[in-house]
Amino acid sequence: MKLSILIPTYNYDCSRLVAQLQQQAAGCGIAYEIIVADDGSTLPSVRTALQAACRTDGCRLMALKKNVGRARVRNLLAEAASGDYLLFADSDALVCRPDFLRRYVEALEPDTVVCGGIVHPGRLPSPSVSLRYRYEKQCEKRFTAERRNRHPHAQLRSFNILMPRTIARRFPFDERITRYGYEDTLMGRALAQARIRVVHIDNPLMNNDLEPNPRFLDKTEEAIRTLCALGPQMQGYSSLMDLHQRLQRMGLAGCMRVAYRLTGAAMRRHLAGRRPCVGLFQCYKLLYLNATLEQMHQKNAR
């Protein structure tokens, strides 16, 4: 059995993650390879660091000339991998337990996808990243392995996921998604339709790169636009979309429209500040989703 550890990155130096995974893989006594895909990074310092990190035994670098996006770069990694099992890890992750790889090796099963989960630092790194930090820490409580296994396919995340190579190639990430968000959710939906087993275990990686509040808001809005473009196929796979549909059936779409028009800009300014309210963030996402859907409907009606 051979394990391929696949790390896509863009303008982020993942040398520390590579070193951590290489050390653990060597300690497990398994055949392995680590492939880092540089998705057209524009920072010379990052390109140089990645080249140095991948000169070690068992590691290699795929340097793409242009940015191809989150879905395509993961599919290219899967195509290049020679292992029987593929472990996808985001480049801004860090290993936070000494038996991380060993736990995955023990969980290997044919025709089964295994998701390890995600955690965040124990303390707020900086007030500038307080929105994502507080939001993600709340999510950690709701997304334990036990709770994720209640709806396993809907909770699939590519941040930290292990699968047989045969499944990765049979169910590639949807390359129609060129913007941020939901390429892993669509994979979960495809696996559910094919009745491929998805199992969640308590084996997280730590997210080590929290965006400043304004940047996190930008990415959230981009993900919501992606969600709206995907439309009805996301029913049951997005709690935000499901909530919006319930409120819409209750006749509250007009109230959401007015609320966004009157308060949307002020809410966004607050959330971009240093002491954002996570509850308000959830409300803002719902109102932004409603506004985006209405814009799409108006455009299509012309």
Side-chain angles (χ1 to χ4, degrees):
M1 190 278 293
K2 182 177 181 180
L3 176 66
S4 294
I5 302 171
L6 309 177
I7 308 173
T9 190
Y10 173 70
N11 280 341
Y12 191 86
D13 177 10
C14 58
S15 300
R16 186 178 172 190
L17 175 63
V18 170
Q20 289 178 322
L21 291 172
Q22 185 181 38
Q23 182 180 25
Q24 288 205 4
C28 285
I30 59 172
Y32 74 94
E33 64 179 354
I34 299 176
I35 308 176
V36 177
D38 178 7
D39 192 12
S41 291
T42 58
L43 299 176
S45 60
V46 169
R47 295 199 302 266
T48 300
L50 294 177
Q51 290 169 0
C54 293
R55 289 195 188 105
T56 54
D57 291 341
C59 302
R60 62 187 173 101
L61 177 67
M62 288 174 51
L64 306 183
K65 293 183 179 180
K66 64 177 183 178
N67 184 272
V68 297
R70 291 166 54 89
R72 177 60 177 156
V73 71
R74 284 167 172 77
N75 290 339
L76 289 174
L77 280 166
E79 292 169 9
S82 60
D84 306 288
Y85 290 86
L86 312 184
L87 171 60
F88 288 95
D90 276 14
S91 61
D92 55 0
L94 285 179
V95 176
C96 53
R97 57 187 307 160
D99 59 347
F100 171 73
L101 277 187
R102 190 172 299 279
R103 286 178 65 85
Y104 262 142
V105 171
E106 293 171 352
L108 293 177
E109 289 187 52
D111 302 322
T112 300
V113 175
V114 185
C115 303
I118 178 173
V119 293
H120 296 80
R123 295 182 178 180
L124 176 64
S126 165
S128 66
V129 300
S130 54
L131 179 58
R132 179 157 194 182
Y133 179 80
R134 292 170 181 167
Y135 171 71
E136 297 288 5
K137 293 302 282 187
Q138 283 194 8
C139 289
E140 282 181 27
K141 301 173 185 177
R142 301 196 307 271
F143 294 115
T144 62
E146 178 184 1
R147 296 189 70 170
R148 284 183 278 131
N149 275 315
R150 296 176 187 176
H151 305 283
H153 294 86
Q155 300 300 330
L156 187 147
R157 298 292 179 268
S158 60
F159 183 86
N160 171 24
I161 186 172
L162 175 76
M163 65 185 73
R165 183 180 60 187
T166 52
I167 289 180
R169 293 185 176 179
R170 182 181 169 193
F171 300 95
F173 291 96
D174 194 328
E175 296 181 13
R176 293 175 299 174
I177 300 180
T178 56
R179 296 180 176 179
Y180 178 77
Y182 293 99
E183 70 280 347
D184 43 11
T185 308
L186 281 183
M187 174 181 278
R189 182 176 181 269
L191 294 175
Q193 291 175 335
R195 298 185 179 180
I196 301 295
R197 186 168 177 247
V198 173
V199 175
H200 294 263
I201 64 174
D202 181 20
N203 194 33
L205 287 172
M206 179 178 291
N207 185 351
N208 192 49
D209 185 38
L210 301 176
E211 304 93 339
N213 296 349
R215 173 59 181 148
F216 181 51
L217 279 170
D218 290 341
K219 289 180 67 174
T220 298
E221 291 171 348
E222 184 177 8
I224 289 174
R225 293 193 296 271
T226 300
L227 174 62
C228 292
L230 293 172
Q233 63 183 312
M234 297 303 292
Q235 185 174 354
Y237 287 84
S238 166
S239 58
L240 183 65
M241 182 69 82
D242 292 344
L243 174 59
H244 177 267
Q245 290 178 346
R246 288 197 296 272
L247 294 176
Q248 193 174 43
R249 288 194 294 269
M250 295 169 61
L252 297 177
C255 296
M256 289 188 284
R257 181 190 314 119
V258 173
Y260 182 75
R261 186 181 303 149
L262 295 177
T263 67
M267 291 172 67
R268 199 184 196 285
R269 286 194 299 271
H270 166 79
L271 293 169
R274 296 172 72 86
R275 295 184 179 179
C277 171
V278 174
L280 191 65
F281 177 55
Q282 299 287 60
C283 181
Y284 179 77
K285 290 197 297 180
L286 182 63
L287 297 181
Y288 186 85
L289 171 66
N290 185 71
T292 303
L293 286 172
E294 290 193 340
Q295 289 175 0
M296 290 178 58
H297 293 157
Q298 290 172 3
K299 183 178 180 181
N300 294 335
R302 292 172 185 168

